Amino acid sequence: MIRRNRPCGYMTLQDVSGPSSEDRIKMTVNKALDFIRERYAHPYWELDPAKKKRIKEAVEATARETVNLSEEFEPTNIAQVLQKHLSRDRIKLIQAGLSIKTVSLNLIEEDGGKRRSVKYFNREGMLLGTRKLSAVADVDWTKVLQYASIVVEAVLLVLSAVGISPSVSARKMEGCVQGVRRKIKETPELKRAVEVFVKAWNEAGFNKWHMATALFNLIKDSHADGILWTIIDSLFKSSNAWYYWLLTLAKVAAMIFVALDTDGLVLIGEIILIVLAAKDFAMKITNINGLNKIAL
Protein backbone atom coordinates (compact mmCIF):
# COMPACT_ATOMS: atom_id res chain seq x y z
CA MET A 1 0.00 0.00 0.00
CA ILE A 2 1.31 3.48 -0.88
CA ARG A 3 1.57 5.79 2.11
CA ARG A 4 -0.36 9.03 1.82
CA ASN A 5 2.54 11.35 2.56
CA ARG A 6 4.35 10.40 -0.66
CA PRO A 7 3.87 11.98 -4.07
CA CYS A 8 1.63 10.04 -6.42
CA GLY A 9 3.46 6.96 -7.65
CA TYR A 10 6.17 7.12 -4.97
CA MET A 11 6.73 3.91 -3.05
CA THR A 12 9.58 2.06 -1.46
CA LEU A 13 10.39 -1.56 -2.15
CA GLN A 14 8.78 -2.47 1.15
CA ASP A 15 5.43 -1.35 -0.30
CA VAL A 16 5.69 -3.78 -3.19
CA SER A 17 5.06 -7.51 -2.95
CA GLY A 18 7.49 -9.64 -4.87
CA PRO A 19 11.11 -10.78 -4.60
CA SER A 20 13.04 -10.27 -1.38
CA SER A 21 15.86 -7.74 -1.14
CA GLU A 22 18.47 -10.48 -1.58
CA ASP A 23 16.66 -11.79 -4.64
CA ARG A 24 16.51 -8.26 -6.12
CA ILE A 25 20.24 -7.85 -5.54
CA LYS A 26 21.01 -11.19 -7.22
CA MET A 27 18.78 -10.35 -10.20
CA THR A 28 20.45 -6.96 -10.56
CA VAL A 29 23.92 -8.48 -10.45
CA ASN A 30 22.98 -10.99 -13.14
CA LYS A 31 21.42 -8.30 -15.37
CA ALA A 32 24.37 -5.93 -14.98
CA LEU A 33 27.01 -8.58 -15.64
CA ASP A 34 25.09 -9.98 -18.61
CA PHE A 35 24.86 -6.46 -20.02
CA ILE A 36 28.60 -5.87 -19.65
CA ARG A 37 29.48 -9.27 -21.08
CA GLU A 38 27.27 -8.71 -24.10
CA ARG A 39 27.96 -5.04 -24.87
CA TYR A 40 31.66 -5.13 -24.01
CA ALA A 41 32.43 -8.76 -24.75
CA HIS A 42 35.97 -8.41 -26.08
CA PRO A 43 37.51 -6.27 -23.31
CA TYR A 44 35.60 -8.16 -20.60
CA TRP A 45 36.74 -11.63 -21.65
CA GLU A 46 40.30 -10.36 -21.99
CA LEU A 47 40.42 -9.65 -18.24
CA ASP A 48 42.04 -12.12 -15.89
CA PRO A 49 39.79 -13.98 -13.38
CA ALA A 50 40.85 -11.80 -10.44
CA LYS A 51 39.71 -8.61 -12.19
CA LYS A 52 36.43 -10.23 -13.26
CA LYS A 53 35.86 -11.18 -9.63
CA ARG A 54 36.49 -7.60 -8.48
CA ILE A 55 34.04 -6.29 -11.09
CA LYS A 56 31.40 -8.72 -9.81
CA GLU A 57 32.07 -7.60 -6.22
CA ALA A 58 31.68 -3.95 -7.26
CA VAL A 59 28.37 -4.74 -8.98
CA GLU A 60 27.14 -6.57 -5.87
CA ALA A 61 28.14 -3.67 -3.60
CA THR A 62 26.41 -1.08 -5.83
CA ALA A 63 23.28 -3.23 -6.17
CA ARG A 64 23.08 -3.79 -2.42
CA GLU A 65 23.59 -0.13 -1.64
CA THR A 66 20.95 0.97 -4.16
CA VAL A 67 18.39 -1.62 -3.03
CA ASN A 68 18.94 -0.69 0.63
CA LEU A 69 18.44 2.99 -0.15
CA SER A 70 15.32 2.19 -2.17
CA GLU A 71 13.82 0.34 0.78
CA GLU A 72 14.15 3.32 3.10
CA PHE A 73 13.69 6.41 0.91
CA GLU A 74 10.68 8.63 1.48
CA PRO A 75 10.23 12.31 0.48
CA THR A 76 10.76 13.46 4.06
CA ASN A 77 13.89 11.47 4.98
CA ILE A 78 16.14 11.42 1.92
CA ALA A 79 19.06 13.29 3.50
CA GLN A 80 18.92 11.14 6.66
CA VAL A 81 18.93 7.89 4.69
CA LEU A 82 21.92 9.00 2.62
CA GLN A 83 23.81 9.94 5.79
CA LYS A 84 23.05 6.50 7.22
CA HIS A 85 24.36 4.55 4.24
CA LEU A 86 26.93 6.78 2.51
CA SER A 87 30.12 8.53 3.54
CA ARG A 88 30.43 12.32 3.57
CA ASP A 89 32.60 12.21 0.47
CA ARG A 90 29.98 10.21 -1.41
CA ILE A 91 27.27 12.67 -0.40
CA LYS A 92 29.44 15.57 -1.55
CA LEU A 93 29.83 13.88 -4.93
CA ILE A 94 26.06 13.57 -5.25
CA GLN A 95 25.60 17.20 -4.23
CA ALA A 96 27.98 18.22 -7.01
CA GLY A 97 26.27 15.96 -9.53
CA LEU A 98 24.54 18.72 -11.51
CA SER A 99 27.37 21.23 -11.29
CA ILE A 100 29.91 19.44 -13.48
CA LYS A 101 30.41 21.77 -16.43
CA THR A 102 30.41 20.62 -20.04
CA VAL A 103 29.65 23.27 -22.70
CA SER A 104 27.76 26.46 -21.83
CA LEU A 105 25.94 28.96 -24.04
CA ASN A 106 25.40 32.69 -23.75
CA LEU A 107 22.55 34.04 -25.87
CA ILE A 108 23.02 37.68 -26.95
CA GLU A 109 20.40 40.12 -28.22
CA GLU A 110 21.23 43.47 -29.85
CA ASP A 111 19.20 46.29 -31.38
CA GLY A 112 16.14 45.44 -29.35
CA GLY A 113 16.22 41.79 -30.34
CA LYS A 114 16.68 42.40 -34.06
CA ARG A 115 20.13 40.81 -34.03
CA ARG A 116 20.86 37.65 -32.10
CA SER A 117 23.93 35.52 -31.63
CA VAL A 118 25.29 32.89 -29.32
CA LYS A 119 28.67 32.43 -27.71
CA TYR A 120 29.63 28.98 -26.49
CA PHE A 121 32.30 28.12 -23.97
CA ASN A 122 34.10 25.00 -22.78
CA ARG A 123 34.00 23.76 -19.19
CA GLU A 124 36.90 26.06 -18.24
CA GLY A 125 35.13 29.16 -19.56
CA MET A 126 37.22 29.46 -22.72
CA LEU A 127 35.35 30.86 -25.72
CA LEU A 128 34.90 28.16 -28.36
CA GLY A 129 33.08 30.24 -30.92
CA THR A 130 30.35 32.71 -31.82
CA ARG A 131 27.43 32.03 -34.15
CA LYS A 132 24.86 34.45 -35.56
CA LEU A 133 21.27 33.30 -35.12
CA SER A 134 20.08 34.65 -38.45
CA ALA A 135 18.51 31.51 -39.91
CA VAL A 136 16.46 28.55 -38.71
CA ALA A 137 19.46 26.27 -39.22
CA ASP A 138 21.53 28.40 -36.80
CA VAL A 139 18.87 28.21 -34.10
CA ASP A 140 18.43 24.47 -34.59
CA TRP A 141 22.21 23.87 -34.41
CA THR A 142 22.43 25.86 -31.18
CA LYS A 143 19.42 24.15 -29.66
CA VAL A 144 20.78 20.67 -30.37
CA LEU A 145 24.15 21.65 -28.88
CA GLN A 146 22.34 22.68 -25.71
CA TYR A 147 20.35 19.44 -25.77
CA ALA A 148 23.63 17.53 -25.97
CA SER A 149 25.11 19.28 -22.94
CA ILE A 150 21.95 18.45 -20.96
CA VAL A 151 22.20 14.75 -21.83
CA VAL A 152 25.89 14.60 -20.97
CA GLU A 153 25.31 16.34 -17.62
CA ALA A 154 22.49 13.91 -16.82
CA VAL A 155 24.94 11.04 -17.35
CA LEU A 156 27.57 12.78 -15.21
CA LEU A 157 24.95 12.94 -12.46
CA VAL A 158 24.56 9.15 -12.63
CA LEU A 159 28.33 8.75 -12.34
CA SER A 160 28.33 11.00 -9.28
CA ALA A 161 25.51 8.95 -7.76
CA VAL A 162 27.61 5.76 -7.89
CA GLY A 163 30.65 7.50 -6.42
CA ILE A 164 32.63 8.31 -9.57
CA SER A 165 34.09 11.78 -10.04
CA PRO A 166 35.15 12.10 -13.68
CA SER A 167 38.45 13.86 -14.25
CA VAL A 168 38.11 14.88 -17.87
CA SER A 169 39.92 17.56 -19.85
CA ALA A 170 37.96 20.43 -21.35
CA ARG A 171 38.89 19.19 -24.83
CA LYS A 172 37.65 15.67 -24.17
CA MET A 173 34.42 16.97 -22.64
CA GLU A 174 33.80 19.22 -25.63
CA GLY A 175 34.42 16.31 -27.98
CA CYS A 176 31.93 14.22 -26.04
CA VAL A 177 29.24 16.92 -26.21
CA GLN A 178 29.80 17.40 -29.94
CA GLY A 179 29.51 13.67 -30.47
CA VAL A 180 26.19 13.63 -28.61
CA ARG A 181 25.03 16.64 -30.65
CA ARG A 182 25.60 14.67 -33.85
CA LYS A 183 23.81 11.65 -32.37
CA ILE A 184 20.77 13.75 -31.40
CA LYS A 185 20.67 15.28 -34.87
CA GLU A 186 20.65 11.81 -36.42
CA THR A 187 18.22 10.20 -33.97
CA PRO A 188 14.65 11.63 -33.86
CA GLU A 189 13.73 9.46 -30.84
CA LEU A 190 16.60 10.83 -28.76
CA LYS A 191 15.81 14.41 -29.78
CA ARG A 192 12.19 13.83 -28.83
CA ALA A 193 13.26 12.47 -25.43
CA VAL A 194 15.13 15.70 -24.66
CA GLU A 195 12.18 17.79 -25.87
CA VAL A 196 9.87 15.80 -23.57
CA PHE A 197 12.28 16.43 -20.69
CA VAL A 198 12.36 20.19 -21.34
CA LYS A 199 8.55 20.33 -21.49
CA ALA A 200 8.20 18.34 -18.25
CA TRP A 201 10.82 20.51 -16.51
CA ASN A 202 9.01 23.70 -17.56
CA GLU A 203 5.67 22.34 -16.41
CA ALA A 204 7.14 21.30 -13.05
CA GLY A 205 7.66 24.90 -11.96
CA PHE A 206 9.73 24.57 -8.78
CA ASN A 207 8.23 21.24 -7.71
CA LYS A 208 11.36 19.23 -6.86
CA TRP A 209 9.62 15.88 -7.22
CA HIS A 210 8.40 16.63 -10.74
CA MET A 211 11.73 18.14 -11.81
CA ALA A 212 13.63 15.12 -10.50
CA THR A 213 11.21 12.72 -12.18
CA ALA A 214 11.63 14.53 -15.50
CA LEU A 215 15.41 14.18 -15.25
CA PHE A 216 15.21 10.52 -14.28
CA ASN A 217 13.01 9.84 -17.31
CA LEU A 218 15.66 11.44 -19.52
CA ILE A 219 18.32 9.21 -17.94
CA LYS A 220 16.08 6.18 -18.54
CA ASP A 221 15.59 7.16 -22.18
CA SER A 222 19.34 7.71 -22.55
CA HIS A 223 19.94 4.16 -21.35
CA ALA A 224 17.29 2.76 -23.71
CA ASP A 225 18.80 4.63 -26.66
CA GLY A 226 22.33 3.60 -25.70
CA ILE A 227 23.67 7.16 -25.59
CA LEU A 228 24.29 6.89 -21.83
CA TRP A 229 26.84 4.15 -22.47
CA THR A 230 28.30 5.95 -25.49
CA ILE A 231 28.97 8.98 -23.27
CA ILE A 232 30.68 6.89 -20.59
CA ASP A 233 32.75 5.20 -23.30
CA SER A 234 33.74 8.59 -24.71
CA LEU A 235 34.89 9.89 -21.34
CA PHE A 236 36.53 6.78 -19.87
CA LYS A 237 37.38 4.26 -22.58
CA SER A 238 41.07 3.50 -22.86
CA SER A 239 42.78 0.48 -24.33
CA ASN A 240 45.40 0.86 -21.60
CA ALA A 241 42.88 0.76 -18.75
CA TRP A 242 40.10 -1.56 -19.79
CA TYR A 243 39.61 -2.82 -16.24
CA TYR A 244 38.87 0.60 -14.73
CA TRP A 245 36.60 1.51 -17.63
CA LEU A 246 34.63 -1.73 -17.25
CA LEU A 247 34.51 -1.25 -13.47
CA THR A 248 32.86 2.14 -14.01
CA LEU A 249 30.39 0.69 -16.51
CA ALA A 250 29.51 -2.18 -14.19
CA LYS A 251 28.72 0.12 -11.25
CA VAL A 252 26.52 2.32 -13.42
CA ALA A 253 24.77 -0.74 -14.87
CA ALA A 254 23.93 -2.00 -11.38
CA MET A 255 22.41 1.34 -10.37
CA ILE A 256 20.50 1.69 -13.64
CA PHE A 257 18.94 -1.79 -13.43
CA VAL A 258 17.83 -1.23 -9.82
CA ALA A 259 16.43 2.15 -10.86
CA LEU A 260 14.49 0.63 -13.76
CA ASP A 261 12.98 -1.96 -11.41
CA THR A 262 12.00 0.61 -8.76
CA ASP A 263 10.74 3.58 -10.82
CA GLY A 264 13.96 5.47 -10.14
CA LEU A 265 13.50 5.74 -6.37
CA VAL A 266 17.13 6.37 -5.47
CA LEU A 267 18.06 8.63 -8.36
CA ILE A 268 14.89 10.69 -8.00
CA GLY A 269 15.50 11.02 -4.28
CA GLU A 270 19.09 12.15 -4.79
CA ILE A 271 18.11 14.61 -7.52
CA ILE A 272 15.44 16.11 -5.25
CA LEU A 273 18.19 17.15 -2.83
CA ILE A 274 20.14 19.15 -5.41
CA VAL A 275 17.81 20.17 -8.20
CA LEU A 276 16.85 23.66 -6.98
CA ALA A 277 20.52 24.57 -6.48
CA ALA A 278 21.49 23.50 -10.02
CA LYS A 279 21.56 27.04 -11.43
CA ASP A 280 23.85 26.36 -14.41
CA PHE A 281 21.85 23.29 -15.40
CA ALA A 282 18.57 25.21 -15.15
CA MET A 283 20.05 27.95 -17.35
CA LYS A 284 20.34 25.41 -20.16
CA ILE A 285 16.57 24.93 -20.14
CA THR A 286 16.14 28.72 -20.00
CA ASN A 287 18.35 28.99 -23.10
CA ILE A 288 16.24 26.44 -24.95
CA ASN A 289 13.08 28.31 -24.01
CA GLY A 290 14.66 31.48 -25.40
CA LEU A 291 15.68 29.74 -28.63
CA ASN A 292 12.17 28.36 -29.05
CA LYS A 293 10.79 31.92 -28.99
CA ILE A 294 12.98 33.16 -31.83
CA ALA A 295 10.87 33.79 -34.95
CA LEU A 296 12.79 33.88 -38.24
Side-chain angles (χ1 to χ4, degrees):
M1 179 181 296
I2 301 174
R3 301 179 189 175
R4 293 183 180 179
N5 65 327
R6 298 182 189 142
C8 180
Y10 193 107
M11 61 181 73
T12 69
L13 295 187
Q14 293 174 333
D15 295 314
V16 184
S17 60
S20 67
S21 297
E22 286 302 317
D23 286 340
R24 290 178 187 275
I25 292 167
K26 290 177 184 177
M27 288 188 290
T28 297
V29 170
N30 290 335
K31 287 179 182 178
L33 290 177
D34 285 347
F35 176 81
I36 297 299
R37 290 166 183 152
E38 180 178 346
R39 186 178 176 96
Y40 304 97
H42 175 68
Y44 178 81
W45 293 113
E46 288 291 313
L47 295 176
D48 62 54
K51 288 180 178 177
K52 290 176 186 174
K53 181 182 178 182
R54 288 198 288 272
I55 286 177
K56 183 178 180 181
E57 290 170 347
V59 169
E60 289 176 342
T62 302
R64 185 173 301 281
E65 174 185 283
T66 310
V67 168
N68 288 341
L69 289 170
S70 297
E71 288 181 336
E72 298 183 34
F73 262 0
E74 293 189 36
T76 56
N77 74 347
I78 296 169
Q80 293 90 331
V81 173
L82 288 178
Q83 290 169 2
K84 175 181 175 182
H85 290 281
L86 305 182
S87 68
R88 288 184 180 180
D89 287 342
R90 283 287 308 282
I91 293 172
K92 287 180 180 179
L93 270 181
I94 293 168
Q95 290 171 337
L98 282 178
S99 62
I100 303 172
K101 296 183 183 298
T102 54
V103 171
S104 59
L105 305 183
N106 184 12
L107 300 182
I108 301 167
E109 288 191 356
E110 299 174 289
D111 294 341
K114 294 179 181 179
R115 290 190 297 153
R116 297 180 177 90
S117 62
V118 60
K119 291 183 177 182
Y120 49 104
F121 304 84
N122 69 12
R123 65 179 305 181
E124 296 174 349
M126 181 182 296
L127 180 65
L128 296 174
T130 302
R131 190 178 185 115
K132 293 182 179 179
L133 301 177
S134 54
V136 172
D138 300 316
V139 174
D140 288 345
W141 184 92
T142 303
K143 195 186 303 183
V144 174
L145 179 63
Q146 191 73 99
Y147 285 170
S149 69
I150 288 172
V151 174
V152 173
E153 289 180 25
V155 174
L156 293 171
L157 169 64
V158 176
L159 291 170
S160 297
V162 295
I164 298 166
S165 178
S167 178
V168 181
S169 69
R171 184 176 180 180
K172 194 166 191 177
M173 187 69 79
E174 181 197 352
C176 178
V177 172
Q178 291 291 358
V180 176
R181 180 188 63 80
R182 291 189 291 271
K183 175 72 171 178
I184 293 173
K185 185 179 178 181
E186 298 166 357
T187 313
E189 296 82 3
L190 180 56
K191 182 179 179 183
R192 177 60 182 158
V194 186
E195 291 170 344
V196 168
F197 160 72
V198 171
K199 183 175 184 292
W201 181 283
N202 286 329
E203 291 176 349
F206 291 100
N207 184 303
K208 293 186 290 186
W209 166 259
H210 294 308
M211 296 166 78
T213 301
L215 188 49
F216 168 70
N217 286 334
L218 177 61
I219 291 168
K220 182 169 64 174
D221 289 339
S222 299
H223 160 67
D225 175 82
I227 194 66
L228 183 149
W229 307 102
T230 301
I231 290 168
I232 296 175
D233 291 350
S234 174
L235 296 177
F236 289 94
K237 186 175 181 179
S238 170
S239 59
N240 296 321
W242 280 355
Y243 166 67
Y244 296 104
W245 165 51
L246 289 172
L247 189 65
T248 297
L249 292 164
K251 290 179 180 179
V252 173
M255 167 168 270
I256 290 294
F257 284 117
V258 174
L260 293 176
D261 288 340
T262 59
D263 294 328
L265 287 175
V266 172
L267 275 173
I268 289 173
E270 292 172 345
I271 295 168
I272 283 172
L273 289 181
I274 63 175
V275 69
L276 292 184
K279 306 295 185 184
D280 290 341
F281 185 82
M283 180 56 67
K284 297 177 186 295
I285 290 89
T286 300
N287 284 341
I288 290 170
N289 294 338
L291 290 165
N292 284 335
K293 293 177 182 177
I294 294 177
L296 296 171

